[in-house]
Amino acid sequence: VQLVESGGGLVQPGDSLTLSCVASGFTFGNYDMSWVRQAPGKGPEWVSRINVGGGRRYYVDSVKGRFTVSRDNAKNTLYLQMNSLKPEDTAVYYCAPSYWGIEVTDSWGQGTQVTVSS
């Protein structure tokens, strides 16, 4: 299994970013997928989940109305559109099959750093 996240960066509060996660080594379209983030000095936090078909999406309360998760099963790619970014969104963002839980291990990708700062 390989998960490659990208799209992070340094942005100002209120800006937007779109993260991508390209998956390989498993049948991507057969699994619900999640985004998990880990801020410096803090434990992992589940951010969002999308079901296999993309019709059901779930978010942690702190990002509802600002983040949108989507997927393209033909491209084995998961996305996270992040709008109205806040400093508290600063973290490394990871994607994973939802059944993996939220504990980031060596099996996960390298993540993508999102820093929101003025």
Side-chain angles (χ1 to χ4, degrees), residues 12-78:
Q12 294 186 339
D15 284 352
S16 298
L17 281 175
T18 299
L19 307 184
S20 299
C21 166
V22 178
S24 60
F26 66 105
T27 306
F28 177 80
N30 285 358
Y31 294 90
D32 289 11
M33 293 293 294
S34 290
W35 285 98
V36 172
R37 66 186 179 185
Q38 187 156 14
K42 296 186 177 181
E45 177 186 37
W46 171 79
V47 175
S48 182
R49 173 174 176 158
I50 186 168
N51 76 326
V52 168
R56 290 195 295 275
R57 311 176 190 197
Y58 309 93
Y59 303 93
V60 67
D61 284 348
S62 60
V63 309
K64 283 181 181 176
R66 300 188 298 119
F67 289 12
T68 302
V69 62
S70 61
R71 66 191 296 163
D72 185 337
N73 289 340
K75 295 182 178 180
N76 288 355
T77 302
L78 179 72

